[in-house]
Amino acid sequence: MIILSNKVLIKSQNVICNKIASELSKNLYAVVRSNLSAETLATNNAVIIDTTTEDMDESLEALILSGNPNVKAFVLTSEEELTIYTKNGVLFISEKLGVTNICNLIRHCLDMENYKKQVEKATAKALLYMGFHAHFRGYRYTIDTVYLVIEHPEYINNFKNNIYPRIAEMYGVSSESVERAIRGSIDTAFDKYMNRFEEFFGNAVYKPPITEFITFCAEKIKLEVL
């Protein structure tokens, strides 16, 4: 079960933002009204900005310079078309979508962010227990791979074309280096802590192939987090 603990910072006093604040307050979100600054962003998980094109750069610059990359930023625009687009990690939403649709979109984004963090935390905990070295590249690649398989179970049947290239793109490396790093981490951990692998898998095991290891981890983590 996902427990929401998001605090949403709203920098606006216009009618639609007031309605969004009222709606989000009903759904376990603590809505805070304050100026956009590093201090206020440090204690909030999301920020909703309603601003004009002329002063948008200043607001977004404050967000970027805040040193808090975990903050989700939503900018409400007055564009006539029902547009939604992302730029520099910021989600721009047309006010014409309406309060209900905007709130549903914000909730979805924040819920997925919470879910991803929980999956990554649970995966990291399991890998560290099995003897993975946190400073190895394969450790980080494995965490991302497990999340990718949970998010896209259809990728399981073709790691070489669906999984490795995506992880490689994230880190600016080759697909082959991703595969080697994950395999190296599994081998190192298994050779030293085979008993912990057996405990994790629930039975005596041989050194698992990457696909088998990732698939099992994904299923076990998914059951733990949901």
Side-chain angles (χ1 to χ4, degrees):
M1 179 179 180
I2 300 174
I3 300 175
L4 300 178
S5 59
N6 291 296
K7 294 177 66 178
V8 180
L9 170 66
I10 293 184
K11 186 202 176 208
S12 180
Q13 294 291 343
N14 73 2
V15 174
I16 191 166
C17 272
N18 284 334
K19 291 180 179 179
I20 290 173
S22 177
E23 184 67 24
L24 290 177
S25 296
K26 301 174 185 177
N27 296 101
L28 303 180
Y29 293 91
V31 177
V32 182
R33 291 186 178 280
S34 178
N35 292 325
L36 185 60
S37 68
E39 291 74 24
T40 53
L41 283 175
T43 56
N44 294 275
N45 305 102
V47 57
I48 301 174
I49 306 169
D50 172 63
T51 185
T52 64
T53 305
E54 285 73 22
D55 63 0
M56 187 176 296
D57 286 343
E58 182 180 345
S59 295
L60 295 184
E61 183 180 6
L63 177 68
I64 294 169
L65 296 178
S66 69
N68 191 341
N70 295 320
V71 174
K72 301 289 289 185
F74 305 94
V75 175
L76 302 182
T77 71
S78 57
E79 297 178 17
E80 289 297 324
E81 297 183 11
L82 305 182
T83 56
I84 302 172
Y85 60 93
T86 303
K87 183 178 180 182
N88 296 329
V90 177
L91 187 64
F92 292 79
I93 310 169
S94 169
E95 292 181 354
K96 302 299 181 182
L97 286 171
V99 173
T100 299
N101 289 330
I102 292 173
C103 286
N104 287 339
L105 180 60
I106 291 173
R107 287 193 199 100
H108 174 74
C109 291
L110 294 178
D111 291 355
M112 288 306 297
E113 189 71 17
N114 272 356
Y115 180 65
K116 182 178 181 181
K117 287 179 180 177
Q118 290 189 49
V119 167
E120 290 182 342
K121 182 178 179 180
T123 305
K125 183 178 179 180
L127 295 181
L128 289 172
Y129 178 75
M130 284 187 284
F132 277 63
H133 294 292
H135 61 283
F136 283 7
R137 287 180 300 169
Y139 167 78
R140 185 65 246 181
Y141 296 165
T142 302
I143 292 175
D144 291 327
T145 300
V146 168
Y147 179 76
L148 194 56
V149 167
I150 291 175
E151 190 177 33
H152 298 283
E154 69 274 14
Y155 289 174
I156 291 174
N157 296 324
N158 197 335
F159 268 57
K160 193 169 292 292
N161 292 329
N162 293 329
I163 300 292
Y164 300 141
R166 291 175 180 268
I167 302 300
E169 185 178 1
M170 290 169 57
Y171 291 95
V173 297
S174 67
S175 296
E176 291 75 18
S177 65
V178 170
E179 183 176 7
R180 283 197 306 270
I182 294 176
R183 162 50 57 198
S185 288
I186 293 174
D187 289 349
T188 300
F190 185 87
D191 290 343
K192 191 170 183 179
Y193 296 105
M194 184 178 67
N195 60 317
R196 295 187 181 181
F197 273 70
E198 292 178 347
E199 182 180 339
F200 184 75
F201 279 83
N203 56 278
V205 296
Y206 52 87
K207 188 178 293 184
I210 294 178
T211 53
E212 184 176 325
F213 179 80
I214 295 295
T215 302
F216 186 86
C217 283
E219 285 301 309
K220 187 157 185 174
I221 297 300
K222 183 166 62 175
L223 291 174
E224 179 180 333
V225 172
L226 288 178

